[in-house]
Amino acid sequence: MKRIGAIAVIFFVLLQTVSAGFFADVDEATEQGTAILKMAERGIVNGVGGGYFKPEDGLTRSQFVKIVNKVFGYTQAGENKFTDVPAGKWYYDDVCIAVEAGYINGIGNGLFAPEDKVSREQVCVIMDNILNMEQIPYFTPPSDKVSEWAKDAVYKALSNGLVSLEDGDTFRATEDMTRGEACLVLSKCLVDVGPIESINLENIAKDELKMRMERVIKAMAEDVVPALENEKSKLVSKMIIDNMRAYIADNTHDYIKASKDTFEIYKTIPKPEREIFKTIIQKYNKLDDLMLLYDFFFVMQ
């Protein structure tokens, strides 16, 4: 599976440019419309013909898996383990890729139900399997029913801002997720600088890289560390700062090894304190800096 961990959720950001006029039934002035257009610009989703997208239509489980694979760049296929996913079907390869990536388990009894509509709570479970989210405190749980098997994932998705409640704090967990809603969720997992794994510091202008690192170092030292109460969180922050300073001084510095050492300390921090830590890091740093310098923070194992 690609290296995408819980903390990566807070570093995902949407692109800032939108091309107009993709679909006649999509309002680009809305948050969902913007998400649809950005997904279309990336070639991740297509319309249904005639200049329409049909954002209110539901998605099948196989259609959702195909989109997920494109968003996260999954391409390695595993062995098919579902009796209702026969070779030759258009979705066969994508389901096998999803199996290899490890984010689908089927509905039981060796079935995947590829033609069934994907529900909103199923989407939350799939996204949690990919992102390995941690539940952030102080969120409002849904006022309507969520299946017990999906409750943990739904709560995580809500608390991380991946999905939202509606009027009356309802979530409609068991209802179908629409094409537009799926775009809104998955567009939050598109990085504007390309996949994290493809970022090569050697391809970035030295002055630009130094400027960004110094900006993060300043924010970490002057804002993040003083705002933290947990001593291990402070230690991790200082290790991140030292790693960046060492790279600025010598670009042959093994920042990946240093980041792995930092991550080992980070894993020993209690989960509630990790969430506070991540929130404070996000508060005082620019998201594009965090994405670009992701490997200096945590190398996910």
Side-chain angles (χ1 to χ4, degrees):
M1 184 182 291
K2 280 182 74 176
R3 188 194 67 229
I4 297 185
I7 198 169
V9 165
I10 67 170
F11 299 155
F12 294 154
V13 64
L14 300 178
L15 292 167
Q16 297 302 311
T17 57
V18 178
S19 297
F22 265 72
F23 307 110
D25 55 351
V26 172
D27 182 0
E28 67 182 88
T30 65
E31 185 181 17
Q32 186 179 114
T34 298
I36 292 169
L37 293 180
K38 288 175 181 178
M39 294 278 280
E41 284 180 330
R42 292 286 189 94
I44 295 169
V45 297
N46 300 304
V48 296
Y52 292 93
F53 184 75
K54 296 287 185 72
E56 300 304 319
D57 282 5
L59 278 172
T60 64
R61 287 166 53 81
S62 52
Q63 288 171 336
F64 185 71
V65 159
K66 182 179 181 68
I67 297 172
V68 167
N69 289 342
K70 287 185 177 182
V71 168
F72 290 99
Y74 296 137
T75 58
Q76 184 67 42
E79 183 179 352
N80 177 30
K81 62 179 183 179
F82 302 115
T83 58
D84 58 349
V85 179
K89 287 288 188 178
W90 69 264
Y91 48 75
Y92 179 83
D93 288 344
D94 276 299
V95 173
C96 290
I97 289 169
V99 169
E100 179 68 18
Y103 68 81
I104 60 169
N105 298 306
I107 61 171
N109 298 319
L111 301 175
F112 178 66
E115 304 292 349
D116 287 0
K117 292 292 194 296
V118 66
S119 70
R120 291 163 59 83
E121 62 185 8
Q122 287 174 350
V123 166
C124 291
V125 171
I126 289 173
M127 298 307 293
D128 186 35
N129 288 342
I130 295 169
L131 300 172
N132 187 28
M133 295 180 286
E134 294 176 3
Q135 185 174 316
I136 299 174
Y138 313 117
F139 79 101
T140 302
S143 60
D144 52 349
K145 182 180 179 181
V146 179
S147 300
E148 283 299 321
W149 55 266
K151 190 170 289 186
D152 184 56
V154 169
Y155 285 9
K156 288 178 182 178
L158 283 167
S159 69
N160 279 276
L162 198 61
V163 293
S164 303
L165 295 176
E166 300 174 347
D167 291 344
D169 293 332
T170 58
F171 182 63
R172 299 184 292 109
T174 60
E175 294 185 22
D176 299 342
M177 176 158 280
T178 67
R179 287 163 55 84
E181 290 168 345
C183 285
L184 183 56
V185 170
L186 289 170
S187 68
K188 295 176 182 179
C189 300
L190 292 176
V191 183
D192 66 347
V193 292
I196 289 172
E197 288 81 356
S198 70
I199 296 173
N200 187 341
L201 298 183
E202 294 180 359
N203 294 335
I204 302 170
K206 290 183 179 180
D207 290 344
E208 168 75 8
L209 184 59
K210 182 180 179 182
M211 180 271 292
R212 287 176 178 267
M213 285 188 173
E214 289 179 341
R215 183 162 60 200
V216 171
I217 289 170
K218 185 175 187 294
M220 295 293 291
E222 298 181 4
D223 298 309
V224 174
V225 173
L228 294 169
E229 295 182 1
N230 181 273
E231 289 304 318
K232 283 190 176 179
S233 295
K234 290 184 178 183
L235 173 60
V236 168
S237 297
K238 292 173 182 176
M239 292 174 74
I240 292 168
I241 292 170
D242 290 344
N243 195 11
M244 290 188 187
R245 283 176 173 163
Y247 186 85
I248 291 174
D250 178 9
N251 64 9
T252 65
H253 165 68
D254 191 350
Y255 65 93
I256 294 294
K257 180 182 181 302
S259 183
K260 288 180 179 179
D261 293 340
T262 302
F263 184 56
E264 291 303 312
I265 303 298
Y266 169 78
K267 288 192 297 186
T268 67
I269 300 173
K271 286 187 177 182
E273 294 298 330
R274 291 187 212 171
E275 296 306 326
I276 294 171
F277 184 28
K278 290 185 290 187
T279 300
I280 291 174
I281 286 177
Q282 184 186 25
K283 178 179 179 181
Y284 291 109
N285 286 278
K286 294 170 64 68
L287 287 178
D288 56 341
D289 288 344
L290 293 174
M291 288 186 297
L292 181 66
L293 302 173
Y294 179 83
D295 279 339
F296 285 87
F297 284 82
F298 305 99
V299 176
M300 292 299 174
Q301 303 290 316

